[in-house]
Amino acid sequence: FDVIILDPPKLAPTINALDRASRKYHSLNRDACKLINSKEGGLLLTCTCSGAMTQRNGGQYFLQTIRGAALAAGRRITLLRSSGAAPCHVQDPSSYPANAY
């Protein structure tokens, strides 16, 4: 494939689910990396709506999970962009920082 988009549902609804969610994100992204065109490369757009994934380790936990998935797939990756929730996502200020992703 030239382009793969991964936008799973919230896999870590709480901090207690973080380890399990990390394993799922790793597996999904590892498998997606393997499907990207190995000769010409391609794009993988991967998402998480789990604030726990994006807030741990100074915001690096999700990116570390993706890097580990690419390594496990034997693929080199380049981060083109990192962003947060779309403007259409309603964010409740009373739930910060859990609502920030």
Side-chain angles (χ1 to χ4, degrees):
F1 292 94
D2 296 322
V3 177
I4 295 178
I5 299 171
L6 293 179
D7 190 11
K10 184 181 283 192
L11 298 178
T14 66
I15 196 79
N16 294 333
L18 193 55
D19 290 334
R20 183 171 175 239
S22 177
R23 289 189 299 273
K24 287 183 180 181
Y25 282 115
H26 176 90
S27 296
L28 285 168
N29 283 277
R30 179 200 59 221
D31 295 346
C33 284
K34 290 179 180 181
L35 294 173
I36 293 288
N37 185 324
S38 62
K39 292 181 182 177
E40 297 179 25
L43 294 174
L44 169 62
L45 176 103
T46 188
C47 306
T48 179
C49 62
S50 299
M53 288 296 297
T54 59
Q55 293 173 15
R56 188 173 189 182
N57 292 350
Q60 294 298 305
Y61 191 64
F62 184 66
L63 295 175
Q64 291 167 343
T65 300
I66 304 310
R67 286 186 197 108
L71 184 63
R75 302 302 296 268
R76 186 176 64 85
I77 60 171
T78 301
L79 177 65
L80 298 178
R81 182 171 179 214
S82 179
S83 64
C88 63
H89 284 240
V90 178
Q91 296 186 7
D92 179 3
S94 67
S95 69
Y96 284 108
N99 197 25
Y101 59 93

